[in-house]
Amino acid sequence: MSAPHSILVVDDDTAHRTMLRTLVGGWGYAIAEADDGEAAIRRVREGAYDLVLMDVRMLKVSGLEALAAIKAINPAIPVVIMTAFSSVETAVAALKEGAHDYLTKPLDFDKLRVTIERSMEHTRLKAENRALRAELAGRFERGRIVGRSPAMQRVLDTVAQVAPSEATVLISGESGTGKELVAGLLHANSGRREGPFVSLNCAAITESLMESELFGHEKGAFTGAERRREGRFQQADGGTLFLDEVSEMPLSMQVKFLRVLQEREFTRVGGDSLLRVDVRVVAATNTHLPERIAAGRFREDLYYRLNVVGLQLPPLRERREDVPLLAQHFLETFAAKNRKSVKGFSPQAMDRLIRRDWPGNVRELMNAVERAVVLARADYLTEADFPAIGPDPTAVAPPAAGGAGLPLSEVERAVILDTLAAAGGNKSEAARRLGITRRTLHKKLKTYGVMK
């Protein structure tokens, strides 16, 4: 049985601290206590905690001062600030110092429990990253494929079945999903692994040069052909030929290409000698080929010849559970490459990465992490290191500094109503975005006179 998550409760009010110890401990958490900010800093320096729950106003060292010191010791520890004062400035300051969230006293126990559970999710992801990094050298050492989501496991299971065969494979997926990596994995696990792996991006070759690129040419075959040149088919003899963006192959070439797929023989441009090759073809596309067929831009018989086995790669937004592992993998790779001492991500930064849809998929995530690592000035990457990503559009923004001087209840009311409007009036969705239960939302709406 695994040990319970540990929470450090920091409050100079003995009665309130005792109440939290009893309440939160009853939810199954291991509770440690500190009676002021100075003691909290000392405890964090000496031991490991999954969460710090801390009052903001204490006599010796305030919660905000302790928060800054704790984040300097370990930015990855989620810190939730409690305040009994209706101060927007305090809430904003806490969030700017890196607080995971803030709660107002008297505490809403439903919201407290939800907040703790969400904070623990960050801790779980961090622990999972450590465990999964150990897998990289084993389970995925056959290639650079990183992932353990059910969607990627299905892809890898199919690769394991298909790789030893001679079947032609068509890999489909959005740009940046790793189609060439999967093609390489097919080759590396096939009987052709000792042979060459040759790739050609069909979109990068002009129609006039496509035939020469695939089949080669003889000296003098056309202007500029000063010597004989082997084409990609001959270069890949005994191995695998990977054709990326095969949907961009000109129609005029598709007929010739189909014949070579069927007969495994061809002639060079300007030549008359028939050449035979032993090549396995793996193709990839980021478009829906049946639509191209319907539009008369791709041959149906070629499609079926290529699609003996089809592999559909999921976009990153459909395998979000792989984001922490991918992000940590890229962080370690680029930290070593650039001689940086970056160790990990703050909970807020990782949360932002997980929530993003990543239209550019794994390639976009890789570029974002590389940029952050190169420009990093601390051991842990924070939200500020990913300015181009932007906040989650479904997330509730912290109170704006412009609300200074307003009672906290008015700020809360505005946030709740704005979130409810953004959720189209759906109370369950609004509660999810706010991180509270639907029942708590209902009570607050009644308090603010929105519901009867």
Side-chain angles (χ1 to χ4, degrees):
M1 192 172 179
S2 59
H5 290 294
S6 59
I7 297 178
L8 176 62
V9 176
V10 187
D11 198 327
D12 60 359
D13 184 332
T14 303
H16 196 260
R17 197 172 66 245
T18 301
M19 180 274 294
L20 285 174
R21 181 185 64 207
T22 303
L23 175 69
V24 179
W27 293 337
Y29 298 106
I31 305 300
E33 298 178 53
D35 58 6
D36 61 52
E38 187 177 8
I41 296 168
R42 185 170 59 253
R43 278 189 169 273
V44 169
R45 187 176 285 115
E46 295 171 351
Y49 298 95
D50 296 304
L51 173 68
V52 177
L53 185 61
M54 182 161 56
D55 190 28
V56 73
R57 185 161 294 191
M58 293 177 287
L59 290 177
K60 293 182 180 179
V61 176
S62 73
L64 292 182
E65 292 172 317
L67 170 63
I70 289 170
K71 285 297 177 179
I73 297 169
N74 186 353
I77 299 178
V79 178
V80 176
I81 291 293
M82 301 178 290
T83 176
F85 303 92
S86 298
S87 170
V88 176
E89 293 96 327
T90 299
V92 171
L95 293 171
K96 284 184 177 180
E97 286 290 345
H100 182 72
D101 207 341
Y102 73 96
L103 301 168
T104 56
K105 294 181 179 179
L107 296 176
D108 179 325
F109 295 153
D110 285 342
K111 185 171 183 179
L112 172 63
R113 189 165 191 172
V114 169
T115 300
I116 290 175
E117 289 172 353
R118 291 181 64 182
S119 301
M120 290 302 173
E121 178 67 9
H122 290 292
T123 303
R124 184 192 67 77
L125 289 172
K126 181 183 173 186
E128 185 179 77
N129 278 341
R130 287 196 298 269
L132 291 176
R133 283 200 299 274
E135 278 188 45
L136 289 175
R139 189 173 188 176
F140 300 116
E141 69 178 355
R142 298 167 298 174
R144 292 179 292 153
I145 304 294
V146 177
R148 68 190 299 269
S149 62
M152 279 308 297
Q153 192 56 54
R154 286 192 293 271
V155 170
L156 293 171
D157 288 345
T158 303
V159 169
Q161 285 185 285
V162 175
S165 75
E166 291 295 312
T168 304
V169 179
L170 178 62
I171 306 171
S172 303
E174 297 176 8
S175 295
T177 50
K179 295 185 288 295
E180 186 165 1
L181 289 180
V182 172
L185 193 59
L186 284 164
H187 173 74
N189 287 274
S190 73
R192 299 173 175 271
R193 66 176 65 87
E194 301 301 325
F197 178 80
V198 178
S199 63
L200 175 68
N201 188 321
C202 297
I205 307 299
T206 62
E207 183 172 353
S208 61
L209 293 177
M210 179 66 74
E211 186 173 3
S212 172
E213 282 292 329
L214 284 173
F215 308 132
H217 61 256
E218 298 288 351
K219 179 180 178 180
F222 50 84
T223 302
E226 298 178 353
R227 58 186 176 85
R228 174 187 286 180
R229 182 179 185 277
E230 288 186 351
R232 303 300 173 98
F233 262 101
Q234 196 167 3
Q235 293 171 19
D237 192 18
T240 303
L241 175 61
F242 173 59
L243 297 177
D244 199 6
E245 298 192 57
V246 71
S247 59
E248 302 305 313
M249 181 179 289
L251 276 171
S252 59
M253 273 302 304
Q254 291 179 26
V255 178
K256 298 177 182 179
F257 179 57
L258 177 61
R259 181 181 178 278
V260 176
L261 278 180
Q262 293 169 337
E263 306 296 335
R264 291 297 195 269
E265 58 184 29
F266 61 92
T267 57
R268 296 191 185 100
V269 176
D272 51 19
S273 298
L274 195 63
L275 303 174
R276 294 193 62 83
V277 289
D278 175 24
V279 173
R280 182 189 193 178
V281 173
V282 176
T285 178
N286 59 10
T287 63
H288 188 54
L289 284 182
E291 292 180 357
R292 294 247 174 173
I293 294 170
R297 297 173 63 186
F298 201 84
R299 292 182 61 93
E300 187 172 18
D301 48 3
L302 176 57
Y303 170 69
Y304 289 120
R305 189 66 186 82
L306 290 173
N307 196 35
V308 175
V309 176
L311 278 174
Q312 180 69 45
L313 300 192
L316 193 51
R317 62 183 174 275
E318 293 179 6
R319 46 181 288 223
R320 294 181 192 273
E321 56 266 62
D322 286 336
V323 171
L325 180 57
L326 284 162
Q328 188 67 33
H329 173 68
F330 294 140
L331 181 145
E332 292 176 0
T333 299
F334 294 122
K337 179 180 178 181
N338 294 283
R339 299 178 295 280
K340 304 281 284 192
S341 62
V342 185
K343 299 175 182 177
F345 300 84
S346 72
Q348 295 92 336
M350 183 59 74
D351 188 63
R352 178 172 289 191
L353 296 183
I354 293 170
R355 289 174 179 270
R356 181 168 172 80
D357 277 347
W358 298 107
N361 292 294
V362 179
R363 187 184 297 122
E364 183 187 1
L365 172 62
M366 179 181 70
N367 292 340
V369 173
E370 181 178 16
R371 178 189 182 280
V373 168
V374 169
L375 298 178
R377 297 184 178 182
D379 289 344
Y380 288 83
L381 300 181
T382 67
E383 287 179 292
D385 293 305
F386 297 94
I389 293 179
D392 170 32
T394 67
V396 180
L406 291 175
L408 199 57
S409 59
E410 290 187 25
V411 176
E412 183 182 65
R413 181 180 188 277
V415 170
I416 288 175
L417 294 181
D418 287 347
T419 304
L420 186 61
N426 186 317
K427 296 183 182 63
S428 296
E429 173 62 15
R432 185 192 68 79
R433 296 185 186 184
L434 289 164
I436 60 178
T437 64
R438 194 178 191 280
R439 181 181 177 187
T440 300
L441 176 61
H442 188 273
K443 287 165 59 179
K444 289 184 178 294
L445 290 174
K446 286 186 68 175
T447 300
Y448 296 134
V450 179
M451 290 181 59
K452 303 222 186 248

